[in-house]
Amino acid sequence: MPTEEGTQVFVDATGRRKRLLAVLGFFVALFAALYMGVVGASVVQASDAALTTKATVSTSATASASATATATSSASAG
């Protein structure tokens, strides 16, 4: 269908659509800023937190656990 030159299809002379989009955009931007703030705060807080357990390899603890397991299995087999 041919359209006439200069004819506007969507006309909002009151400005309601523009105001609605501006308010929605404001709330989306506010939510995004709050979300980034929460993520940033959690990253900063997590970097300050100390680990409660540290992975260490101890040969004496492993040998002791192995000996205990062997003694337990020998006692139950006999």
Side-chain angles (χ1 to χ4, degrees):
M1 275 169 57
T3 61
E4 297 180 24
E5 296 285 326
T7 304
Q8 295 181 353
V9 178
F10 298 106
V11 178
D12 184 17
T14 62
R16 287 177 58 197
R17 186 179 305 138
K18 180 180 178 183
R19 195 172 320 126
L20 176 68
L21 290 176
V23 169
L24 286 175
F26 173 77
F27 283 116
V28 168
L30 181 65
F31 175 77
L34 289 173
Y35 183 76
M36 288 188 298
V38 168
V39 170
S42 66
V43 167
V44 168
Q45 184 180 9
S47 67
D48 290 341
L51 295 175
T52 56
T53 59
K54 297 187 182 194
T56 58
V57 178
S58 173
T59 55
S60 61
T62 306
S64 173
S66 177
T68 305
T70 305
T72 306
S73 65
S74 297
S76 15

